[in-house]
Amino acid sequence: MLRLQGEMIRGGTSKCWIFDHHDVVATGVDADTLLLAAYNAADLRQIDGVGGATSTTSKAAIARASTEPGVDVEYAFAQVGIGDERVEWASNCGNCATAVALYAVHNGLVPITSDSTTVRMLNVNTRARLTGTIPTPGRTAPEEGTAVVPGTAALGVPVLLGFEDPAGSTTGRTLPTGRAVDTLTGPTGRVEASLVDAGAPAALFEAKAFSLQGTESPAEFAAALPTLTVLRRQAALAMGLAKEHDPVSHAVPKVGVVARPAAYRTTDGTPVGEDEYDLAVRMVSMHAPHPAIGLTSAVALATAAATPGTLAHRVARQTADGALRLGTPAGVITAQSVPAVHGASLTVLLHRAARRIARAELLVPVLEGRPA
């Protein structure tokens, strides 16, 4: 039985266990083996582990102070399998980055020198650079806050999350194929898709191609999952994210549908008018409809909607200030694109909230002595 210190932190609408890199190495066990055992990934219910049995609650980050110039903290993001003994390391998670920023402030990974502290982060999975700005009144790390985000009524510490220069973060190109629209072949025939890489690689389709409105509830949207799962694989091949004989990834690219704004009700019954947002979106998270939207997906949507010729640009209401209001099942989430100034990179900003839930010693049932 191994012992591993960790913190559970809610970032936005996800829960993420965060571990210190040195503590993970000290176990002498490779990170995949450690996480699969800690989460009880083999069980769909994850009943004998700390996993939450959903894609938004079966996440981990391994963090440490960075020696890289311009970076305070570097972290590896892990999407842990559910009923699947596999850990996906190919992507990033904005909600977990939000949690990492709060973790860094509380654990001395960044100095607190004023009433507001910015944590400069590097996601080692994708080499994406992010910032998380947190209020630190009286130069103290906050335990509580009054910020809320769509998808939960829980209060948290406000975190302004920034994705720096997100375009081409994985493939090196905003449009990996060089085209704003590609045609993929799914189970029912050929379908138009916009393949975009910003924040995370994403494959976006028009909702009407699946006889959807883009305003469906997660349960209604679930009907499109089998087709979208096949198309995700086709998109991965087209974007160069996988080769024909590689294992199928359910983490990348992100996949979802877009549509023009229309009135709908959120999952908690709140009405949303068509004039209250700019683009309807329903995204997939691993094997299930996302209850809101992943933040890396939100960055991809903001980039796609600003790129002429893409399906998202075709149906989005265009704005003059760089703000894009996304209509998700949980409510409206705004992504704000801040133009580059004096040679700096463009940044996409999102308002999030985070709260530390627990600090714990995990008792992990793995054989000691396995190679790290």
Side-chain angles (χ1 to χ4, degrees):
M1 188 73 71
L2 295 178
R3 297 174 182 269
L4 178 65
Q5 298 293 324
E7 289 193 17
M8 178 193 281
I9 300 179
R10 176 180 65 83
T13 53
S14 295
K15 287 194 293 187
C16 189
W17 277 96
I18 302 180
F19 306 104
D20 183 276
H21 170 80
H22 301 292
D23 289 344
V24 172
V25 172
T27 65
V29 176
D30 67 275
D32 286 60
T33 299
L34 195 65
L35 292 175
L36 291 174
Y39 281 62
N40 188 208
D43 182 4
L44 279 170
R45 299 173 299 162
Q46 296 184 326
I47 199 72
D48 194 44
V50 298
T54 70
S55 63
T56 56
T57 57
S58 192
K59 299 181 176 187
I62 300 173
R64 65 176 172 182
S66 179
T67 58
E68 190 160 330
V71 179
D72 299 310
V73 178
E74 55 189 58
Y75 70 95
F77 166 67
Q79 183 76 56
V80 183
I82 304 167
D84 180 11
E85 291 194 274
R86 182 168 55 167
V87 181
E88 299 253 11
W89 298 97
S91 62
N92 188 17
C93 172
N95 278 328
C96 277
T98 302
V100 168
L102 186 60
Y103 175 89
V105 167
H106 274 281
N107 288 275
L109 299 183
V110 62
I112 299 175
T113 58
S114 69
D115 286 345
S116 178
T117 299
T118 295
V119 183
R120 299 169 301 174
M121 298 175 284
L122 173 68
N123 170 245
V124 300
N125 308 60
T126 62
R127 305 302 295 176
R129 291 181 180 243
L130 305 92
T131 58
T133 301
I134 296 174
T136 48
R139 299 184 180 181
T140 60
E143 289 286 2
E144 298 178 302
T146 58
V148 295
V149 294
T152 173
L155 303 179
V157 175
V159 180
L160 181 61
L161 189 68
F163 290 77
E164 297 183 351
D165 193 20
S169 56
T170 299
T171 65
R173 304 176 70 185
T174 304
L175 301 174
T177 66
R179 296 178 291 272
V181 176
D182 286 270
T183 302
L184 303 179
T185 302
T188 58
R190 295 164 68 81
V191 183
E192 282 191 323
S194 286
L195 308 179
V196 180
D197 178 14
L204 305 173
F205 305 88
E206 277 203 75
K208 67 180 182 181
F210 308 96
S211 301
L212 299 173
Q213 301 298 316
T215 55
E216 284 76 13
S217 69
E220 293 168 334
F221 178 50
L225 258 60
T227 298
L228 289 172
T229 298
V230 173
L231 289 168
R232 188 207 316 257
R233 176 62 172 178
Q234 298 304 310
L237 296 172
M239 298 171 83
L241 300 171
K243 296 179 180 179
E244 193 68 45
H245 300 294
D246 287 346
V248 174
S249 169
H250 296 289
V252 290
K254 309 299 183 185
V255 62
V257 304
V258 295
R260 299 183 187 280
Y264 74 100
R265 288 186 178 272
T266 66
T267 47
D268 68 1
T270 302
V272 179
E274 66 177 85
D275 60 340
E276 295 181 54
Y277 68 105
D278 307 307
L279 180 65
V281 56
R282 295 295 184 267
M283 298 296 296
V284 177
S285 178
M286 298 295 282
H287 302 282
H290 199 294
I293 187 172
L295 300 194
T296 53
S297 296
V299 173
L301 263 295
T303 303
T307 303
T310 68
L311 300 179
H313 186 272
R314 182 186 298 176
V315 297
R317 180 185 293 118
Q318 298 299 313
T319 63
D321 61 357
L324 180 71
R325 300 170 300 171
L326 298 169
T328 81
V332 177
I333 294 173
T334 300
Q336 178 76 46
S337 296
V338 179
V341 178
H342 304 307
S345 301
L346 177 142
T347 298
V348 178
L349 299 175
L350 299 112
H351 291 272
R352 308 308 290 162
R355 187 180 79 82
R356 293 203 302 172
I357 297 172
R359 300 182 66 187
E361 180 179 71
L362 277 56
L363 304 179
V364 186
V366 298
L367 295 176
E368 297 186 55
R370 290 194 53 175

